Amino acid sequence: MALCAISVLAFCNIAIFYGFYAYLTEIGIPPAWRGPLMGLEPLTALLVRPFLGRFLTLANGVRFMRVGLCLATLSLLCYPFTTSIPALAAVRVLHGAGFVIIAGGLMGILTAFLPREKSAQGFGLFSVTILIPYAIMPPFVELLLPLLPGHGWAYAVAAPLMLPAFFLLIPLGRKTSAMASAMSPEHLERPSWAEVNAGVRSAGVLLLVVANTCLVAAHSLVFFFMRDFALGLGAGNPGMFFTCANAATISLRVLGARALNRIDQGGTLARAFFGLAALLPLFVWAGIPGVLWGMAALYGTGMALTMPLINASMQHISPPRLRAFNANLLMVAVDAGFFVGPFVGGMLMAAGWTVGGLFGLGGVLMACAGFCVLPVARQMRLAKELG
């Protein structure tokens, strides 16, 4: 429970940035700089995470997470006072470093706790803790904004949420220490560079990393640019898109968690990607907020399948000593996607593209992810038949 609660609190400080593009516009940041500033936080995480995954173990994960919480809290408190490009860049780097350390520790500990035969169910239920902030924080921030001196203060308001996470690390630290002491020493050793290189060169691993990058890049286009699009349709609270989407996602993952372990995971994952590829370009035809909220529920249903199944697929094709490392590789893909999506999206908007064009690009990325997963699905079916 402590791990789940820390995850909810940690992702609250990311979910509030759904309106960051609009905020950069409000404070007068030139269009050409908005995409890079949005992407700088995940770019920092992208650069740090491969090295972090090499040194994180079950025994030291909680210590790393304490450092990450300190950095994230400090960065959140700095946002109201940073309106220049250099200052914002520094805060985004600090924020990225803090968040990647928290997330890396969470994933390392989670992979140690989950039995392989229940990995899809476990990842599905744990991912609910990531989704809850995305369902709650956007509409909450919209309600809070009129009461604050400026948009930047909404980010500082999330800083106190990190305080309970510090206290929750105490029981989590005791549990991981007890678990680490009961494990054989070879399970606590860092994988060698030779093992890491061999694992990374596996075709299945690379394809899943590319698929996850495409998934997150497409999702980031929706996340960062939906607010202005929904406002253009006359939505009173554009955060409702994320509430509807994540309500559908959470419902499916909670109610269908057990079924995720019994289905054809690779094939279902590919079909979910192709369904999302067809859906994203249709957002532009919504016309009114009510239709868009319905589309949001369909979007959330597709996302409910993709994230746990891609993590479960990686667990199934990874040797035991590389499961934690490969789980962090998928998080590297998350960082890459969250950098590429807003960076490219911001540049395209500065070049005259519409938000509808960005949603079309998101559909193409989802289709690419689907094609990447097809060979992995065949590999998983063959292993099950032989196994």
Side-chain angles (χ1 to χ4, degrees):
M1 288 301 295
L3 191 70
C4 292
I6 293 169
S7 178
V8 170
L9 295 169
F11 278 90
C12 278
N13 85 78
I14 297 297
I16 57 176
F17 284 89
Y18 72 99
F20 196 55
Y21 183 84
Y23 170 62
L24 294 176
T25 304
E26 290 170 11
I27 62 175
I29 299 297
W33 278 100
R34 294 170 197 165
L37 285 172
M38 285 193 297
L40 196 52
E41 182 263 338
L43 176 62
T44 303
L46 173 64
L47 297 175
V48 171
R49 198 184 299 272
F51 300 96
L52 184 66
R54 175 71 175 86
F55 295 102
L56 266 174
T57 66
L58 179 63
N60 65 22
V62 168
R63 292 196 297 272
F64 271 88
M65 289 168 68
R66 286 195 185 99
V67 175
L69 285 170
C70 289
L71 295 178
T73 302
L74 178 60
S75 66
L76 289 169
L77 292 172
C78 288
Y79 276 101
F81 311 104
T82 52
T83 55
S84 68
I85 292 172
L88 276 168
V91 172
R92 296 294 282 169
V93 168
L94 184 68
H95 195 182
F99 182 72
V100 70
I101 294 171
I102 299 169
L106 283 169
M107 288 303 297
I109 294 171
L110 178 65
T111 55
F113 284 176
L114 286 181
R116 184 178 180 181
E117 65 276 7
K118 294 185 177 180
S119 57
Q121 180 183 354
F123 278 115
L125 290 174
F126 182 77
S127 65
V128 170
T129 68
I130 298 173
L131 294 167
I132 289 172
Y134 288 96
I136 295 173
M137 295 306 288
F140 174 72
V141 170
E142 291 293 328
L143 295 173
L144 196 62
L145 280 175
L147 307 176
L148 299 174
H151 203 135
W153 287 96
Y155 306 138
V157 166
L161 295 175
M162 299 298 101
L163 185 60
F166 281 104
F167 292 107
L168 288 167
L169 286 177
I170 297 171
L172 182 62
R174 287 197 293 264
K175 186 168 184 178
T176 55
S177 295
M179 192 172 181
S181 63
M183 284 183 168
S184 57
E186 60 267 21
H187 286 292
L188 299 175
E189 292 175 359
R190 302 165 188 159
S192 68
W193 283 115
E195 288 178 290
V196 168
N197 287 334
V200 170
R201 288 174 183 163
S202 165
V205 170
L206 286 175
L207 285 170
L208 288 178
V209 169
V210 172
N212 211 34
T213 303
C214 292
L215 164 65
V216 177
H219 174 66
S220 71
L221 293 174
V222 176
F223 180 71
F224 282 110
F225 296 98
M226 180 54 73
R227 183 178 187 268
D228 287 348
F229 179 74
L231 285 172
L233 293 182
N237 188 331
M240 285 300 297
F241 177 90
F242 300 103
T243 298
C244 293
N246 287 294
T249 302
I250 292 169
S251 299
L252 184 59
R253 289 189 187 172
V254 171
L255 298 175
R258 293 182 183 276
L260 289 177
N261 293 318
R262 299 193 296 267
I263 61 175
D264 172 13
Q265 294 176 348
T268 303
L269 178 59
R271 287 189 289 273
F273 277 133
F274 290 128
L276 288 167
L279 176 64
L280 263 66
L282 297 179
F283 286 158
V284 72
W285 299 102
I288 59 173
V291 174
L292 186 63
W293 303 161
M295 290 181 168
L298 292 176
Y299 178 73
T301 301
M303 295 298 289
L305 295 169
T306 56
M307 292 182 180
L309 289 179
I310 203 166
N311 278 282
S313 298
M314 182 66 87
Q315 291 291 291
H316 277 287
I317 67 172
S318 300
R321 278 171 55 82
L322 288 178
R323 283 178 196 154
F325 183 86
N326 287 349
N328 267 301
L329 273 184
L330 287 180
M331 295 302 292
V332 170
V334 170
D335 300 329
F338 261 112
F339 167 68
V340 171
F343 182 87
V344 173
M347 291 296 187
L348 292 175
M349 290 290 284
W353 275 47
T354 64
V355 175
L358 296 186
F359 293 156
L361 175 61
V364 172
L365 289 169
M366 289 292 190
C368 290
F371 285 117
C372 285
V373 166
L374 289 176
V376 181
R378 287 193 292 270
Q379 177 184 342
M380 292 172 64
R381 281 195 295 269
L382 181 60
K384 188 175 181 179
E385 291 169 2
L386 296 176

